[in-house]
């Protein structure tokens, strides 16, 4: 959001609602909030902008029709967001029948001609005049999807929202820019009870308002700090930034450890060099400088190589991370940070070798009495333990992340996603022609069943409270997901009837019937739910059926109480189609699109498979899994490189010992065992350290999921076996190679 210069002073007005003893945080508001903030708290703000949530209507100019994402916003929005106008001015939205277009949308409709003053339509019925064109917002902006802005008043008046919506309808968003001298926290505190003061006196009859408290969530925190739990900001994406940053630092540390280990391992070979330099007058500071220079040179060459690797890997990484990042070649801060980081790496990697090698006593070295001794190997062994502790922890973490994703994917979802298609109804022609469309697709056997619904089967965006039922506790503030559907919805999504029956056109009374999910039955405390009556929406409904819980929201969250009722085409926004399993999806889509085009030939055909929509709910966790897997493989690879180098050095140091043992009758397996056992002991120590660390952190991580996997013992056992096998494979090459050397060659120098 750095694209917006005022981001430190822009905020989203959010609210904490206390519902049934639990605090829920919403980013939506009632349309009355805008005037209330202006009239009562206006001095605190420079701009107040009420806005719809992101919409995707049909924009049309003549016969050219495209579906574009944008918002209805109040006139101050372009100024608040500091849009870079290419045509017209930021004041364009002051005309209630105007529209501002992003440059890409302007080109799509008007090519390179000036669009200002030209007419277009929104959803085929609202005629607007283009008042300006602004530069497309970058993907790194929270408003990246804002490809058009239409006037707020146009939405409110055309839909009659000002007459039929109350404080209880939180359908919109409120953005503010605080006054230049104002403090964000103080303004947030000032408006805290702005809504509650207006609704608390409406607590008459069964419909009691929820206790609500407003607060400002600054734009600078939207992207990384967007998670709230029980009314408290618990973080968000910042957790991943820290997690990958820490893992990256540990992986780099592994490489530094390799440098330290291999440098000090060859200390005997460099001992004479140190002795001669000291004899000729070199002081310790000069030797330390020399060894630091070597490590800094290695770090600098590594930095140059890393730039090449980043250039090659960036497209892959962007794909995994879902970003559009590039190397900022012209940014001096980038180069300063990279060179500073390389310098720090070189200093860390060179610290132990520089201090250790420069400490040698020249007289011992040159007399040939210098031996590093057994204690000299202790730091190296400790560093190997650190390396594999990090690597093993990452492996365990990767397995648990993968298990959590698979565990949730295998969760029963209560309906069938296979071949289930969802199509938004954006044109009246489709609404009016639905029956003909249904008959067409059923007669051609393209679809098994069709229905309409207020939301998609993989979404639960509408909730209601204030319902009354027998046994409801006094003062309970209830909230349920409510979904308006047509009679065939259950057959289309293939939900599972647990009690009672499905909706049926054979029963005219079903227009006053409710079907509850299992969670709603538990929530309302019904022992025998069939036949129970519930007062809602100003009338009385009878429970005719109970269905198994359907996973309509995040598969990681608990199921919410849900109620389904007959809509009779009043609140239907989606058509659900169950494709005939005997027909291929591509073939069916051609027929379905043709049937839609017959009703409305100029409207773009949009659709979404329930499978794709459901799978999208796993993207964040799958991204974590992919990156964790990459880091784990990288950590093991670096650790094994160091182990391979150390094994090579140890085998070289013990060449003569091996030769003597062979002459005395030692076999190759015996020598392999002798050279490998020390490394295996180090890995076992690493396992003993890494296992409780990994258990603690991964147990903390999975606690945030209501539906979670178990930390089974076999995960740790499998990791232990894998780590030991990798170690033995790495060490065995050098060990067996040394054991196979002809002892005559090994001992010839003696």
């Amino acid at each position: 959001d750095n694209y917006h210069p005022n981001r430190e002073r822009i905020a989203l007005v959010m609210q904490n609602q206390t519902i049934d003893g639990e605090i829920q945080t919403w980013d939506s508001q009632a349309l009355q909030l805008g005037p209330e903030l202006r009239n009562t708290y206006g001095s605190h703000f420079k701009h107040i902008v009420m806005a719809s949530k992101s919409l995707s209507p049909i924009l049309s100019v003549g016969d050219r029709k495209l579906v574009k994402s944008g918002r209805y916003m109040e006139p101050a929005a372009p100024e608040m967001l500091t849009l870079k106008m290419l045509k017209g001015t930021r004041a364009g939205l002051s005309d209630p029948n105007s529209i501002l277009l992003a440059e890409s949308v302007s080109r799509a409709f008007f090519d390179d001609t000036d669009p200002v003053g030209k007419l277009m339509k929104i959803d085929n019925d609202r005629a607007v005049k283009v008042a300006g064109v602004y530069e497309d917002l970058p993907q790194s902006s929270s408003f990246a999807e804002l490809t058009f802005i239409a006037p707020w008043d146009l939405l409110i008046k055309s839909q009659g929202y000002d007459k039929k919506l109350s404080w209880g309808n939180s359908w919109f968003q409120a953005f503010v820019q605080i006054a230049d001298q104002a403090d964000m926290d103080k303004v947030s505190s000032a408006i805290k009870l702005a809504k509650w003061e207006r609704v608390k006196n409406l607590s008459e009859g069964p419909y009691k308002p929820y206790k609500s408290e407003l607060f400002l969530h600054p734009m600078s925190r939207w992207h990384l700090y967007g998670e709230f739990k029980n009314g408290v900001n618990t973080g968000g994406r910042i957790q991943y930034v820290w997690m990958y940053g820490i893992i990256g630092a540990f992986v780099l540390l592994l490489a530094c450890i390799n440098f330290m280990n291999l440098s000090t391992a060859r200390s005997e070979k460099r001992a004479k060099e140190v002795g001669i330099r000291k004899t000729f007058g070199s002081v310790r500071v000069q030797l330390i400088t020399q060894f630091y220079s070597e490590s800094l040179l290695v770090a600098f060459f590594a930095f140059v190589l890393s730039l090449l690797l980043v250039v090659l890997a960036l497209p892959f990484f962007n794909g995994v991370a879902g970003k559009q990042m590039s190397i900022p070649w012209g940014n001096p801060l980038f180069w300063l940070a990279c060179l500073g980081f390389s310098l720090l790496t070189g200093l860390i990697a060179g610290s132990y070798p520089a201090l250790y090698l420069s400490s040698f006593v020249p007289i011992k070295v040159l007399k040939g009495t210098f031996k590093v001794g057994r204690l000299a190997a202790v730091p190296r062994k400790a560093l190997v333990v650190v390396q594999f502790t990090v690597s093993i922890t990452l492996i365990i973490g990767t397995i648990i992340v993968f298990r959590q994703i698979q565990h949730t994917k295998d969760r029963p979802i209560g309906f069938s996603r296979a071949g289930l298609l969802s199509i938004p109804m954006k044109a009246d022609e489709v609404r009016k022609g639905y029956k003909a469309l249904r008959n067409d697709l059923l007669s051609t056997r393209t679809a098994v069943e069709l229905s309409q619904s207020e939301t998609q089967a993989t979404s639960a965006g509408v909730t209601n409270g204030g319902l009354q039922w027998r046994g409801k506790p006094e003062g309970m503030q209830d909230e349920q997901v409510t979904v308006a559907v047509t009679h065939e919805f259950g057959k289309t999504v293939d939900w599972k009837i647990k009690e009672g029956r499905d909706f049926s056109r054979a029963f005219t009374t079903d227009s006053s019937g409710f079907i509850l999910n299992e969670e709603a039955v538990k929530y309302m405390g019904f022992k025998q739910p069939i036949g129970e009556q519930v007062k809602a929406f100003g009338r009385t409904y009878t429970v005719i059926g109970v269905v198994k819980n359907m996973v309509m929201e995040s598969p990681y969250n608990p199921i919410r109480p849900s109620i389904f009722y007959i809509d009779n085409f009043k609140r239907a926004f989606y058509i659900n189609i169950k494709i005939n399993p005997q027909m291929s999806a591509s073939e069916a889509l051609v027929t379905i699109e043709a049937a839609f085009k017959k009703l409305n030939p100029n409207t773009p055909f949009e659709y979404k498979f329930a499978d794709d929509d459901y799978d999208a709910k796993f993207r964040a966790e799958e991204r974590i899994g992919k990156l964790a897997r990459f880091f784990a493989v990288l950590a093991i690879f670096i650790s094994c490189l160091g182990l391979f180098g150390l094994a090579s050095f140890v085998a070289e140091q013990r060449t003569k010992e091996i030769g003597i043992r062979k002459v005395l009758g030692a076999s190759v397996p015996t020598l392999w065992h002798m050279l490998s056992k020390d490394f295996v002991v180090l890995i076992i120590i690493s396992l003993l350290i890494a296992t409780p660390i990994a258990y603690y952190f991964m147990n903390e991580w999975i606690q945030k999921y209501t539906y979670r996997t178990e930390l089974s013992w076999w995960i740790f056992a499998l990791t232990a076996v894998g780590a030991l096998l990798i170690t033995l494979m790495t060490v065995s090459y050098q060990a067996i190679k040394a054991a196979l050397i002809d002892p005559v060659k090994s001992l010839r120098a003696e």
Side-chain angles (χ1 to χ4, degrees):
D1 284 322
N2 283 319
Y3 181 85
H4 307 284
N6 302 318
R7 76 173 196 141
E8 295 295 339
R9 310 196 70 74
I10 295 174
L12 173 64
V13 183
M14 300 183 72
Q15 60 175 317
N16 285 327
Q17 293 258 24
T18 304
I19 302 172
D20 199 18
E22 181 185 346
I23 299 176
Q24 297 183 13
T25 302
W26 296 358
D27 66 356
S28 53
Q29 302 291 349
L31 65 83
Q32 288 85 355
L33 182 64
E36 175 64 19
L37 291 180
R38 276 190 202 92
N39 297 335
T40 312
Y41 306 92
S43 61
H44 294 293
F45 302 104
K46 187 172 184 177
H47 297 300
I48 296 170
V49 175
M50 291 301 297
S52 69
K53 293 196 174 184
S54 186
L55 304 169
S56 299
I58 300 166
L59 301 184
S60 57
V61 176
D63 293 333
R64 190 177 296 186
K65 301 191 177 191
L66 299 170
V67 175
K68 294 294 177 182
S69 61
R71 294 176 184 248
Y72 290 88
M73 304 181 84
E74 289 191 294
E79 191 65 41
M80 183 183 73
L81 298 177
T82 328
L83 298 183
K84 296 176 183 175
M85 301 303 297
L86 306 176
K87 306 277 186 186
T89 68
R90 292 175 185 164
L93 293 179
S94 54
D95 179 355
N97 293 302
S98 63
I99 190 170
L100 298 181
L101 303 178
E103 184 182 15
S104 58
V105 177
S106 174
R107 286 183 182 278
F109 282 107
F110 303 103
D111 300 318
D112 291 326
T113 60
D114 186 353
V116 175
K118 294 184 178 177
L119 295 175
M120 67 189 317
K121 285 187 176 181
I122 303 174
D123 279 339
N124 299 319
D125 63 352
R126 297 169 213 169
V128 290
K129 186 186 293 185
V130 179
V133 177
Y134 56 90
E135 180 181 84
D136 283 81
L137 295 167
Q139 286 299 312
S140 58
S141 167
S142 295
F143 292 96
E145 91 294 344
L146 198 67
T147 63
F148 75 85
I149 308 177
W152 171 253
D153 286 345
L154 178 63
L155 173 69
I156 301 304
K157 295 287 172 31
S158 64
Q159 299 298 314
Y161 287 153
D162 52 339
K163 295 182 177 64
K164 62 185 181 184
L165 295 185
S166 68
W167 276 99
N169 300 110
S170 296
W171 291 7
F172 310 105
Q173 289 186 310
F175 299 97
V176 298
Q177 181 179 335
I178 61 173
D180 292 340
Q181 305 306 317
D183 177 78
M184 186 73 73
D185 291 335
K186 289 180 180 177
V187 176
S188 185
S189 298
I191 67 167
K192 184 177 180 179
L193 300 177
K195 178 180 178 180
W196 182 239
E197 291 295 336
R198 291 295 179 184
V199 301
K200 67 181 180 182
N201 296 323
L202 304 177
S203 309
E204 296 179 6
Y207 300 99
K208 301 194 181 294
Y210 305 129
K211 175 68 183 293
S212 59
E213 295 181 346
L214 304 180
F215 66 95
L216 299 182
H217 190 44
M219 180 187 257
S220 56
R221 295 178 65 84
W222 290 355
H223 183 69
L224 294 180
Y225 299 89
E227 237 173 57
F228 291 85
K229 189 172 184 180
N230 207 25
V232 178
N233 187 201
T234 55
R237 293 184 181 97
I238 189 64
Q239 295 165 341
Y240 302 132
V241 175
W242 277 108
M243 182 174 75
Y244 292 125
I246 291 169
I247 292 174
F250 272 116
V251 169
L252 183 62
L253 179 63
L254 300 185
C256 292
I257 288 172
N258 278 351
F259 186 88
M260 294 180 197
N261 271 342
L262 297 176
S263 295
T264 54
R266 308 190 73 80
S267 56
E268 281 192 46
K269 294 205 170 186
R270 299 204 67 176
K272 286 188 173 62
E273 175 196 341
V274 173
I276 292 169
R277 283 181 177 275
K278 282 193 171 184
T279 302
F280 280 99
S282 291
V283 294
R284 191 176 182 190
V285 173
Q286 290 175 315
L287 292 169
I288 290 174
T289 303
Q290 176 199 334
F291 292 125
Y292 269 131
S293 299
E294 290 174 6
S295 65
L296 288 169
L297 195 62
V298 170
F300 174 74
F301 281 124
F303 167 58
V304 174
L305 181 60
S306 74
L307 284 176
L308 174 62
L309 291 175
V310 168
V311 169
L312 296 174
L314 202 54
F316 163 77
F317 183 80
N318 280 339
V320 172
K323 306 293 176 194
Q324 291 184 349
M325 292 183 285
S326 59
I327 299 177
W329 299 107
N331 188 337
L333 287 177
F334 166 76
W335 292 106
L336 192 63
C338 287
L339 291 171
F341 203 63
S342 300
L343 176 65
L344 181 63
T345 304
L347 291 174
I348 292 172
S351 58
Y352 180 54
L355 297 173
Y356 177 66
L357 295 174
S358 65
S359 67
F360 293 162
V361 179
I363 191 165
K364 289 185 177 181
V365 171
L366 297 177
K367 281 178 67 178
T369 59
F370 172 79
K371 292 291 178 185
V372 292
R374 288 186 173 275
L375 290 178
V378 172
R380 286 201 297 276
K381 290 179 179 179
L383 291 172
V384 169
V385 169
V386 171
Q387 273 192 319
F388 275 89
T389 299
V390 172
S391 301
I392 290 164
T393 303
L394 285 174
I395 291 171
I396 293 171
T398 302
I399 294 172
I400 292 171
V401 169
F402 177 77
R403 285 260 300 165
Q404 174 63 35
I405 295 169
Q406 289 304 122
H407 177 74
T408 313
K409 279 188 172 181
D410 294 339
R411 179 184 186 180
I413 65 167
F415 68 101
S416 173
R417 304 190 310 268
L420 182 60
L421 204 64
S422 174
I423 301 171
M425 290 191 293
K426 294 186 175 180
D428 285 338
E429 293 88 344
V430 176
R431 293 176 186 277
K432 293 171 183 174
Y434 169 73
K435 288 185 179 178
L437 174 74
R438 186 170 186 274
N439 292 334
D440 189 356
L441 295 179
L442 290 176
S443 63
T444 58
R445 301 181 65 81
T446 303
V448 174
E449 189 56 270
L450 285 83
S451 64
Q452 293 174 291
S453 60
E454 187 175 7
T455 61
Q456 303 170 71
T458 52
S459 173
V462 181
T463 61
N464 276 288
L467 280 64
Q468 296 296 307
W469 62 87
R470 186 170 59 86
K472 180 181 179 181
E474 183 69 27
M476 177 183 179
Q477 291 182 306
D478 61 300
E479 184 191 36
Q480 294 84 211
V481 173
T482 54
V483 186
V485 300
T486 53
H487 292 81
E488 297 78 23
F489 180 78
K491 295 185 182 69
T492 309
V493 302
D494 192 24
W495 62 16
K496 313 302 178 191
I497 299 289
K498 186 179 178 184
E499 294 181 55
R501 61 175 178 83
D502 201 346
F503 291 122
S504 171
R505 294 188 184 274
F507 297 90
T508 55
T509 54
D510 278 7
S511 59
S512 296
F514 267 176
I515 288 182
L516 312 180
N517 71 348
E518 294 170 296
E519 196 61 32
V521 173
K522 190 190 304 181
Y523 185 72
M524 295 180 176
F526 293 148
K527 301 297 182 186
Q528 298 293 330
I530 306 304
E532 289 282 2
Q533 293 190 324
V534 180
K535 291 181 180 179
F537 319 130
R539 47 190 299 204
T540 301
Y541 290 81
T542 303
V543 178
I544 64 168
V546 177
V547 293
K548 286 187 174 292
N549 287 333
M550 292 171 60
V551 180
M552 301 175 71
E553 299 176 281
S554 170
Y556 296 100
N557 292 339
I559 305 291
R560 290 200 284 173
S562 303
I563 297 171
F564 302 87
Y565 63 100
I566 294 300
D567 172 59
N568 291 327
F569 303 95
K570 292 177 183 175
R571 295 181 60 80
F573 300 117
Y574 291 90
I575 295 176
N576 309 292
I577 302 176
K578 187 74 166 182
I579 294 174
N580 190 335
Q582 306 300 319
M583 184 178 287
S584 70
S586 56
E587 185 183 351
L589 283 172
V590 171
T591 308
I592 293 168
E593 183 175 7
F596 268 84
K597 291 291 185 183
K598 196 187 299 180
L599 293 176
N600 190 15
N602 295 319
T603 300
F605 177 62
E606 284 186 87
Y607 65 90
K608 190 178 284 186
F609 278 103
D611 259 338
D612 295 337
D613 211 28
Y614 189 74
D615 288 343
K617 300 176 189 290
F618 295 94
R619 280 180 192 154
E621 278 69 22
E622 286 179 336
R623 189 173 295 141
I624 295 170
K626 285 179 182 177
L627 290 175
R629 192 158 60 244
F630 170 76
F631 274 126
V633 170
L634 185 61
I636 279 290
F637 176 70
I638 291 172
S639 299
C640 288
L641 277 180
L643 206 60
F644 188 83
L646 276 181
S648 171
F649 173 73
V650 169
E652 183 184 330
Q653 264 195 329
R654 302 179 72 174
T655 300
K656 290 181 174 59
E657 178 193 343
I658 292 167
I660 293 168
R661 287 181 179 275
K662 287 195 76 172
V663 169
L664 295 176
S667 64
V668 171
T670 303
L671 294 170
W672 170 78
H673 175 266
M674 178 191 76
L675 293 170
S676 302
K677 67 178 181 180
D678 286 347
F679 292 105
V680 171
V681 169
L682 296 179
I683 303 311
I684 291 172
I685 294 171
S686 298
L687 283 164
L688 293 175
I689 298 171
T691 299
I693 292 173
Y695 180 87
Y696 174 79
F697 283 108
M698 295 314 297
N699 188 55
E700 287 288 308
W701 180 72
I702 65 170
Q703 292 307 313
K704 70 176 184 175
Y705 299 109
T706 305
Y707 193 79
R708 53 181 178 265
T709 186
E710 294 180 354
L711 300 184
S712 305
W713 65 267
W714 65 261
I715 296 173
F716 302 95
L718 180 67
T719 305
V721 172
L724 289 170
L725 285 175
I726 289 170
T727 302
L728 288 173
M729 288 168 63
T730 305
V731 173
S732 292
Y733 173 78
Q734 296 292 2
I736 294 171
K737 179 183 172 185
L740 291 173
I741 293 175
D742 187 345
V744 175
K745 291 181 180 179
S746 304
L747 301 174
R748 184 181 296 162
E750 295 297 320

Coordinates of all heavy atoms in Angstrom, one line a residue, residues 309-331:
L309 N 20.9 -16.5 -9.2 CA 19.9 -17.5 -8.8 C 18.5 -16.9 -8.5 O 17.5 -17.5 -8.9 CB 20.4 -18.3 -7.5 CG 21.6 -19.2 -7.7 CD1 22.1 -19.7 -6.4 CD2 21.3 -20.3 -8.7
V310 N 18.5 -15.7 -7.9 CA 17.2 -15.0 -7.7 C 16.5 -14.7 -9.0 O 15.3 -14.9 -9.1 CB 17.4 -13.8 -6.8 CG1 16.1 -12.9 -6.8 CG2 17.8 -14.2 -5.4
V311 N 17.3 -14.2 -10.0 CA 16.7 -13.9 -11.3 C 16.1 -15.1 -11.9 O 15.0 -15.0 -12.5 CB 17.8 -13.3 -12.2 CG1 17.3 -13.2 -13.6 CG2 18.3 -11.9 -11.7
L312 N 16.8 -16.2 -11.8 CA 16.3 -17.5 -12.4 C 15.1 -18.0 -11.6 O 14.1 -18.6 -12.2 CB 17.4 -18.5 -12.4 CG 18.6 -18.2 -13.3 CD1 19.7 -19.3 -13.1 CD2 18.1 -18.1 -14.8
A313 N 15.1 -17.9 -10.2 CA 14.1 -18.5 -9.4 C 12.9 -17.6 -9.1 O 11.8 -18.1 -8.7 CB 14.7 -18.9 -8.0
L314 N 13.0 -16.3 -9.4 CA 11.9 -15.4 -9.1 C 10.5 -15.7 -9.7 O 9.5 -15.7 -9.1 CB 12.3 -13.9 -9.4 CG 11.5 -12.8 -8.7 CD1 11.6 -13.0 -7.2 CD2 12.1 -11.5 -9.0
P315 N 10.5 -16.1 -11.0 CA 9.2 -16.5 -11.6 C 8.6 -17.6 -10.9 O 7.3 -17.6 -10.6 CB 9.6 -16.9 -13.0 CG 10.8 -16.1 -13.3 CD 11.6 -16.1 -12.0
F316 N 9.4 -18.7 -10.5 CA 8.8 -19.8 -9.7 C 8.3 -19.3 -8.4 O 7.2 -19.7 -7.9 CB 9.9 -20.9 -9.6 CG 9.6 -21.9 -8.5 CD1 8.7 -22.9 -8.7 CD2 10.3 -21.8 -7.2 CE1 8.4 -23.8 -7.7 CE2 10.0 -22.7 -6.2 CZ 9.1 -23.7 -6.4
F317 N 9.1 -18.5 -7.7 CA 8.8 -18.0 -6.3 C 7.5 -17.2 -6.4 O 6.6 -17.3 -5.5 CB 9.9 -17.2 -5.7 CG 9.6 -16.8 -4.3 CD1 9.8 -17.7 -3.3 CD2 9.1 -15.5 -4.1 CE1 9.5 -17.3 -2.0 CE2 8.9 -15.1 -2.8 CZ 9.0 -16.0 -1.7
N318 N 7.4 -16.3 -7.4 CA 6.2 -15.5 -7.5 C 4.9 -16.4 -7.7 O 3.9 -16.1 -7.2 CB 6.3 -14.5 -8.7 CG 7.1 -13.3 -8.3 OD1 7.3 -13.0 -7.2 ND2 7.7 -12.6 -9.3
G319 N 5.1 -17.5 -8.5 CA 4.0 -18.4 -8.7 C 3.6 -19.1 -7.4 O 2.4 -19.2 -7.1
V320 N 4.5 -19.5 -6.6 CA 4.2 -20.1 -5.3 C 3.6 -19.2 -4.3 O 2.7 -19.4 -3.6 CB 5.5 -20.8 -4.7 CG1 5.3 -21.3 -3.3 CG2 6.0 -21.9 -5.6
A321 N 4.2 -18.0 -4.3 CA 3.8 -17.0 -3.3 C 2.6 -16.2 -3.7 O 2.0 -15.4 -2.9 CB 5.0 -16.0 -3.0
G322 N 2.2 -16.2 -5.0 CA 1.1 -15.5 -5.5 C 1.4 -14.0 -5.5 O 0.5 -13.2 -5.2
K323 N 2.6 -13.6 -5.8 CA 3.0 -12.2 -5.8 C 3.6 -11.8 -7.2 O 3.7 -12.7 -8.1 CB 4.1 -11.9 -4.8 CG 3.7 -12.3 -3.4 CD 2.6 -11.5 -2.8 CE 2.2 -12.0 -1.5 NZ 0.9 -11.4 -1.0
Q324 N 3.8 -10.6 -7.4 CA 4.5 -10.1 -8.6 C 5.7 -9.2 -8.2 O 5.7 -8.0 -8.4 CB 3.5 -9.3 -9.5 CG 2.4 -10.1 -10.1 CD 1.4 -9.3 -11.0 OE1 1.5 -8.1 -11.0 NE2 0.6 -10.0 -11.7
M325 N 6.7 -9.9 -7.7 CA 7.8 -9.1 -7.2 C 8.9 -9.1 -8.3 O 9.0 -10.1 -9.1 CB 8.3 -9.8 -5.9 CG 7.4 -9.6 -4.7 SD 8.0 -10.2 -3.2 CE 7.8 -12.0 -3.5
S326 N 9.8 -8.1 -8.2 CA 10.9 -8.0 -9.1 C 12.1 -7.5 -8.3 O 11.9 -6.9 -7.3 CB 10.6 -7.2 -10.3 OG 10.2 -5.9 -9.9
I327 N 13.3 -7.6 -8.9 CA 14.5 -7.1 -8.2 C 14.6 -5.6 -8.4 O 14.6 -5.2 -9.6 CB 15.8 -7.8 -8.7 CG1 15.7 -9.3 -8.4 CG2 17.0 -7.2 -8.0 CD1 16.9 -10.1 -8.9
P328 N 14.6 -4.8 -7.4 CA 14.6 -3.3 -7.6 C 16.1 -2.8 -7.9 O 16.8 -2.3 -7.0 CB 14.2 -2.8 -6.2 CG 14.6 -3.8 -5.2 CD 14.5 -5.1 -6.0
W329 N 16.5 -3.1 -9.1 CA 17.9 -2.8 -9.5 C 18.3 -1.3 -9.2 O 19.4 -1.1 -8.8 CB 18.1 -3.1 -11.0 CG 17.9 -4.5 -11.3 CD1 16.8 -5.0 -12.0 CD2 18.7 -5.7 -11.0 NE1 16.9 -6.4 -12.2 CE2 18.1 -6.8 -11.6 CE3 19.9 -5.8 -10.3 CZ2 18.7 -8.1 -11.5 CZ3 20.5 -7.1 -10.2 CH2 19.8 -8.2 -10.8
G330 N 17.4 -0.4 -9.4 CA 17.7 1.0 -9.3 C 17.5 1.6 -7.9 O 17.7 2.8 -7.7
N331 N 17.2 0.7 -6.9 CA 17.0 1.2 -5.5 C 18.2 1.2 -4.7 O 18.7 0.0 -4.4 CB 15.9 0.4 -4.9 CG 15.4 1.0 -3.6 OD1 16.1 1.7 -2.9 ND2 14.2 0.6 -3.2

